[in-house]
C-alpha cells in the first residue's frame, strides 16, 4: 500500500493537467502541508447519482464533489477541497461513500459556538460531550443542512474525526458494490427506472448466471474486461467475492402494484480494489450469460486463457493475442444507474 504521508508531497507533472486540476492540487497541497493546526474529518455520505456527472469535480460538470465543496466553501468563507474514496461514474449511486475535509482550529471553534448558540444545547449535554464529539456533531449538522439543487439527493450519514495521515482512497481495506437488474413482463416501471437496469419481456436464466458468478469468484485477471489506462501500476489480478440473489417476492409497499410480474436480481461484488468499469463489465457478462448470448463454459475458458496469458506476458503491454479471443458478448458494459457503492471499509470505524 502506498505511503500515505508521502503521497501529498509527490511531485506532479502539472503540464499534463487541466487548469482546474492544477488549481485543485495547489489548494490541496496548501491545506495539507501549510496548515499545522487543523483537524481532518471523514464523512460518510449517501447520494442519488442519477442527475449528477459522477463524484469527481469536472470543469463543466455538475458533480457530487462540486455540490459539497460549493456549500462548505460558503459555510467557511473560503475555498474548500475534499478528497473522495473513489471516482463513481455519472449516474452511479452510493450508500457509503467516504470523503475527508480539513478544518482549522479556528474554524472548528467558530462552528462549535454557532451550533451551541443555534441549537441551545442543554448545559448537561454540553458537559457530557468531549471536544471531538462536539466538533463531529457540528460538521454532521452542517452537512445535513446542505440543500443541493436536488434536495435530499446528498445525505450525510456519519462524521468522524481522524488522524491527518488518513486517506479515504489509499487507507481503504475493501469496497462493496451492488447492482440491480429488473425483468418486467409487459412494461417498465417508473419507480425502478432510477435504480435498476430494466428489461421488458426478457427472461434470464438464473442457474446459468449463478454458474457465471461462481466462475468469476476468486482471484483472476480482470484487465481484459476493464478499461485500464496505459501505464496503470495496479495488479490486474484481483481477489473478487461475487454473489447473486433472485428476488421474486417483494415486501408490501406503496408501490407494490408496480412490482407485479417483475423479477429482480441483486449482484454484489466485494474487492480490495476495483479496476475502472470492472463491476459494470462483470454485470454485463452475467446478464449476457443469463440471456443465452454466451454460454458459461465459454466464459470459463476465456477467463482461464486470460489468467494464463497475463502470467505468461509478465507485465508486457502486448496482450493483443489474448484479447482477440474474447467474444464481443463478454465485453458489454451494464448501464451506470443500476450500480451503487454500498460500503468502504477501513481499519477505524467510520
Amino acid at each position: 500500500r502506498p505511503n500515505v504521508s508521502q503521497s501529498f508531497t509527490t511531485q506532479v507533472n502539472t503540464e499534463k493537467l487541466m487548469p482546474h486540476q492544477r488549481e485543485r492540487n495547489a489548494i490541496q497541497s496548501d491545506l495539507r502541508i501549510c496548515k499545522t493546526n487543523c483537524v481532518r474529518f471523514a464523512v460518510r455520505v449517501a447520494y442519488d447519482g442519477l442527475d449528477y456527472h459522477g463524484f469527481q469535480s469536472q470543469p463543466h460538470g455538475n458533480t457530487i464533489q462540486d455540490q459539497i465543496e460549493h456549500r462548505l466553501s460558503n459555510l467557511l468563507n473560503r475555498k474548500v477541497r475534499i478528497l473522495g474514496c473513489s471516482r463513481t461514474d455519472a449516474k452511479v449511486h452510493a450508500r457509503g461513500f467516504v470523503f475527508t475535509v480539513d478544518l482549522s482550529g479556528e474554524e472548528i471553534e467558530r462552528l462549535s459556538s454557532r451550533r451551541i448558540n443555534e441549537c441551545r444545547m442543554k448545559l448537561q449535554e454540553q458537559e457530557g460531550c468531549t471536544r471531538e464529539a462536539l466538533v463531529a456533531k457540528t460538521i454532521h449538522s452542517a452537512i445535513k443542512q446542505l440543500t443541493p439543487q436536488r434536495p435530499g439527493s446528498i445525505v450525510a450519514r456519519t462524521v468522524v474525526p481522524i488522524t491527518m495521515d488518513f486517506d479515504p482512497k489509499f487507507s481503504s481495506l475493501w469496497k462493496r458494490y451492488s447492482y440491480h437488474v429488473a425483468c418486467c413482463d409487459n412494461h417498465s416501471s417508473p419507480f425502478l427506472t432510477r435504480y435498476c437496469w430494466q428489461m421488458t419481456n426478457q427472461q434470464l436464466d438464473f442457474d446459468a448466471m449463478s454458474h457465471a458468478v461462481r466462475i468469476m469468484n476468486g482471484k483472476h485477471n480482470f484487465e481484459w474486461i476493464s478499461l485500464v489506462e496505459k501505464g496503470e501500476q495496479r495488479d490486474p489480478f484481483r481477489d473478487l467475492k461475487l454473489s447473486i440473489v433472485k428476488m421474486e417476492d417483494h415486501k408490501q409497499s406503496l408501490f407494490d402494484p408496480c412490482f407485479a410480474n417483475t423479477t429482480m436480481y441483486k449482484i454484489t461484488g466485494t474487492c480490495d480494489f476495483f479496476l475502472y468499469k470492472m463491476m459494470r463489465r462483470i454485470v454485463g457478462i452475467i446478464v449476457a450469460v443469463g440471456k443465452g448470448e454466451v454460454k458459461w463454459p465459454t466464459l470459463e475458458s476465456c477467463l482461464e486463457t486470460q489468467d494464463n496469458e497475463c502470467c505468461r506476458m509478465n507485465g508486457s503491454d502486448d496482450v493483443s493475442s489474448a484479447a482477440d479471443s474474447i467474444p464481443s458478448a463478454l465485453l458489454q458494459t451494464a448501464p451506470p444507474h443500476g450500480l451503487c457503492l454500498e460500503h468502504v471499509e477501513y481499519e477505524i470505524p467510520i
Side-chain angles (χ1 to χ4, degrees):
R1 181 172 299 168
N3 189 326
V4 176
S5 62
Q6 295 178 357
S7 63
F8 301 120
T9 59
T10 302
Q11 296 295 323
V12 178
N13 185 0
T14 57
E15 295 180 357
K16 296 182 179 181
L17 299 179
M18 297 293 290
H20 74 286
Q21 294 174 317
R22 290 196 294 268
E23 177 191 10
R24 181 175 300 283
N25 285 352
I27 294 176
Q28 287 176 351
S29 176
D30 176 69
L31 280 174
R32 302 183 186 290
I33 298 177
C34 299
K35 280 191 174 182
T36 57
N37 183 27
C38 62
V39 177
R40 179 166 298 171
F41 291 88
V43 184
R44 192 180 293 275
V45 295
Y47 55 80
D48 181 338
L50 187 64
D51 300 316
Y52 295 97
H53 298 164
F55 173 83
Q56 186 169 323
S57 180
Q58 299 180 18
H60 304 293
N62 177 36
T63 69
I64 302 294
Q65 185 172 4
D66 291 330
Q67 291 289 322
I68 294 176
E69 287 182 347
H70 175 69
R71 282 150 187 83
L72 289 180
S73 297
N74 290 340
L75 179 69
L76 299 174
N77 297 318
R78 66 169 174 85
K79 285 188 176 181
V80 174
R81 289 296 180 259
I82 63 177
L83 287 179
C85 64
S86 178
R87 297 184 305 172
T88 55
D89 290 337
K91 303 182 185 301
V92 173
H93 313 288
R95 287 192 180 94
F97 193 97
V98 176
F99 71 85
T100 58
V101 59
D102 295 343
L103 275 72
S104 67
E106 179 181 345
E107 291 169 339
I108 291 172
E109 293 298 332
R110 177 160 51 86
L111 290 179
S112 300
S113 300
R114 177 188 299 184
R115 183 176 188 278
I116 292 175
N117 293 333
E118 290 180 352
C119 299
R120 297 179 180 179
M121 295 175 60
K122 295 180 180 179
L123 182 60
Q124 56 269 30
E125 182 181 351
Q126 297 180 45
E127 293 176 348
C129 289
T130 63
R131 181 177 182 274
E132 291 76 11
L134 182 58
V135 169
K137 290 182 179 180
T138 302
I139 304 302
H140 187 275
S141 177
I143 297 179
K144 277 183 64 177
Q145 294 173 9
L146 296 179
T147 306
Q149 295 177 357
R150 299 161 186 83
S153 59
I154 305 174
V155 178
R157 297 178 58 186
T158 59
V159 182
V160 179
I162 47 161
T163 58
M164 290 299 294
D165 62 350
F166 176 89
D167 185 283
K169 181 177 181 180
F170 295 113
S171 298
S172 66
L173 301 178
W174 50 263
K175 296 181 177 71
R176 178 182 296 123
Y177 283 92
S178 69
Y179 197 101
H180 286 85
V181 179
C183 295
C184 311
D185 284 354
N186 300 319
H187 53 80
S188 60
S189 168
F191 301 104
L192 298 176
T193 301
R194 298 185 69 89
Y195 310 109
C196 298
W197 180 6
Q198 291 195 81
M199 302 178 187
T200 305
N201 297 322
Q202 175 70 61
Q203 297 299 322
L204 299 177
D205 186 340
F206 180 68
D207 291 336
M209 292 193 296
S210 298
H211 209 128
V213 166
R214 288 194 293 270
I215 291 173
M216 288 188 287
N217 251 316
K219 192 170 185 178
H220 299 286
N221 169 29
F222 288 102
E223 183 177 13
W224 61 282
I225 64 171
S226 306
L227 301 182
V228 181
E229 297 180 357
K230 187 175 182 179
E232 171 64 60
Q233 299 299 316
R234 297 276 186 171
D235 185 356
F237 275 86
R238 312 314 306 176
D239 192 0
L240 176 68
K241 295 180 181 179
L242 200 62
S243 65
I244 183 171
V245 177
K246 183 178 182 180
M247 301 179 291
E248 293 180 292
D249 299 325
H250 304 283
K251 296 181 179 180
Q252 295 292 324
S253 68
L254 176 64
F255 306 121
D256 185 66
C258 300
F259 295 108
N261 301 320
T262 299
T263 302
M264 294 187 64
Y265 303 91
K266 181 179 180 179
I267 303 168
T268 304
T270 303
C271 190
D272 59 341
F273 178 80
F274 284 87
L275 301 172
Y276 184 45
K277 293 190 185 299
M278 173 176 159
M279 187 63 188
R280 288 171 57 192
R281 285 287 183 92
I282 288 174
V283 173
I285 290 174
I286 296 173
V287 171
V289 172
K291 288 181 177 180
E293 296 176 350
V294 62
K295 302 299 182 181
W296 64 260
T298 303
L299 169 62
E300 187 173 34
S301 175
C302 184
L303 192 61
E304 182 179 357
T305 299
Q306 295 300 319
D307 288 349
N308 295 335
E309 185 71 12
C310 185
C311 294
R312 185 183 68 81
M313 299 304 295
N314 193 24
S316 173
D317 291 334
D318 184 14
V319 294
S320 57
S321 59
D324 292 341
S325 63
I326 302 174
S328 59
L330 295 179
L331 297 177
Q332 302 180 36
T333 304
H337 60 274
L339 185 63
C340 180
L341 175 58
E342 294 285 352
H343 184 75
V344 184
E345 182 68 13
Y346 300 94
E347 292 182 351
I348 59 176
I350 295 178

